[in-house]
Amino acid sequence: MKTAVIQFPGSNCDGDALHAAQLLLDQDAQFVWHTEAGLPQGTELVFLPGGFSYGDHLRSGAIAARSPIMQAVKAHAERGGFVLGVCNGFQVLTESGLLPGALSRNRDLHFLCRPVHLRVENAGTAFTGAYTKGQVIEVPIAHGEGNYYADPETVARLEGNGQVVFRYTDNPNGSLNDIAGIINERGNVLGMMPHPERAVEALLGSEDGRGLFDSLVRAQAPA
Amino acid sequence: MSTFKAKVFVTLKPSILDPQGRTVERALSHLDHGNVGGVRVGKYIELTLSGSRADVEAQLKDITENVLSNPVMEDARWEISEQQGEELVGA
């Protein structure tokens, strides 16, 4: 699966994202700098990596969401192309309007950097088909602003549509309804605070993140 | 064409938990300011814009609502005043 990992000034999980994509989605992954106006020809997955784009100035993800490449990312999503936003990438997706809601300061103000357990709430998406519903996976988090918020109507809609894809088993940051990751209605844009790309090899402590990438390969494979 | 000075105030919506404000409030209480409550931390942004008043006001509304604040969790208001002559810089 041809993957474009977007690099913003301050991205710091871009290397991990590229490594995971090259390891699990074939070799065809490359970095794309945020000032580019277009994605490489044939891009199938856009990976918005974690980090502190623009030093989190104004709001985390706010400036990155308005950078030139994001117009191309939005067009890619409108064509039905896959977009995965992890951590700061999730914040960029909410700031750009590709996903509803917002991520605010963790309930206890602490920057949290540790493994957490997530329950797969919807295994019927292109990003989760290799998991089973209810499966609990271990994936690390590393964020200061991962407290998911949306108005009650939006949360009810997300829940009703099965758009809450991952939920914390032990809520670390105060997120509404223990939400760790959501998908858009169309099912091609996923945002999550935990880092599946940091859990793809036994050496890293967990391989539970592999399922997400395996799911994408499976979703892509001809029936 | 005139020059306008704008002040934009961004605050978390009342329904949003403000852990930063809560922490400041706790610190104040430790400093014997136990009568202080309702601390909310927000942002203050200054801008200078040039153009006609109507254009600048429309532009400022757009900037405030679409860039400087996130309407999902923040409220924003702004004030605008026309600059008279050259602004004095420094003392």
Side-chain angles (χ1 to χ4, degrees):
Chain A
M1 174 173 287
K2 193 172 163 73
T3 303
V5 176
I6 311 297
Q7 289 180 302
F8 301 102
S11 294
N12 65 9
C13 301
D14 42 342
D16 295 352
L18 189 77
H19 174 73
Q22 288 179 338
L23 184 73
L24 302 168
L25 303 174
D26 295 328
Q27 300 296 312
D28 214 358
Q30 64 182 98
F31 288 132
V32 175
W33 187 236
H34 68 114
T35 55
E36 293 289 327
L39 295 164
Q41 196 69 36
T43 295
E44 295 166 284
L45 170 69
V46 172
F47 197 146
L48 298 167
F52 298 87
S53 56
Y54 294 91
D56 276 353
H57 292 336
L58 196 60
R59 298 177 303 279
S60 46
I63 309 293
R66 290 155 180 87
S67 63
I69 193 64
M70 286 308 294
Q71 288 306 320
V73 174
K74 283 181 187 171
H76 173 77
E78 276 161 27
R79 285 193 301 270
F82 292 126
V83 180
L84 170 63
V86 168
C87 199
N88 189 222
F90 187 12
Q91 295 162 341
V92 173
L93 287 175
T94 57
E95 277 287 342
S96 65
L98 282 167
L99 288 174
L103 293 142
S104 65
R105 194 65 82 88
N106 290 349
R107 179 185 46 207
D108 300 320
L109 284 173
H110 297 294
F111 185 93
L112 301 169
C113 186
R114 56 177 159 86
V116 297
H117 290 106
L118 306 177
R119 194 166 56 247
V120 179
E121 295 286 1
N122 183 348
T125 80
F127 297 85
T128 52
Y131 296 114
T132 53
K133 184 174 160 63
Q135 184 179 349
V136 174
I137 60 172
E138 184 182 297
V139 180
I141 54 167
H143 61 248
E145 301 192 12
N147 185 343
Y148 184 79
Y149 173 83
D151 60 68
E153 296 76 32
T154 302
V155 173
R157 199 176 65 239
L158 290 172
E159 294 285 1
N161 292 340
Q163 289 175 254
V164 176
V165 173
F166 296 108
R167 216 186 290 274
Y168 301 108
T169 59
D170 186 11
N171 191 338
N173 55 25
S175 288
L176 281 180
N177 291 23
D178 308 325
I179 289 172
I182 59 170
I183 198 164
N184 65 341
E185 221 167 317
R186 187 170 172 180
N188 62 320
V189 178
L190 178 98
M192 61 192 295
M193 289 311 297
H195 289 269
E197 83 283 7
R198 292 193 192 174
V200 294
E201 289 174 271
L203 190 64
L204 298 172
S206 169
E207 293 184 285
D208 289 355
R210 290 182 85 108
L212 190 142
F213 299 93
D214 293 343
S215 301
L216 283 168
V217 171
R218 195 186 283 190
Q220 196 70 2
Chain B
M1 195 163 78
S2 310
T3 302
F4 297 87
K5 180 117 181 178
K7 298 174 177 179
V8 178
F9 302 86
V10 181
T11 50
L12 283 172
K13 283 185 194 293
S15 59
I16 306 275
L17 180 74
D18 179 8
Q20 204 177 171
R22 209 177 50 188
T23 303
V24 172
E25 190 172 314
R26 212 156 38 223
L28 290 173
S29 145
H30 294 155
L31 294 167
D32 290 332
H33 297 292
N35 60 326
V36 177
V39 178
R40 307 282 290 173
V41 176
K43 291 179 198 138
Y44 166 64
I45 301 155
E46 290 181 345
L47 303 89
T48 306
L49 304 93
S50 54
S52 73
R53 178 173 274 273
D55 286 351
V56 161
E57 285 190 349
Q59 188 184 5
L60 186 60
K61 179 174 156 56
D62 175 45
I63 290 171
T64 300
E65 291 174 0
N66 295 311
V67 182
L68 300 182
S69 71
N70 181 340
V72 174
M73 55 181 177
E74 292 171 328
D75 290 325
R77 64 180 179 85
W78 44 269
E79 295 169 2
I80 190 165
S81 59
E82 190 167 350
Q83 296 289 92
Q84 300 298 332
E86 289 297 303
E87 195 180 358
L88 289 174
V89 177

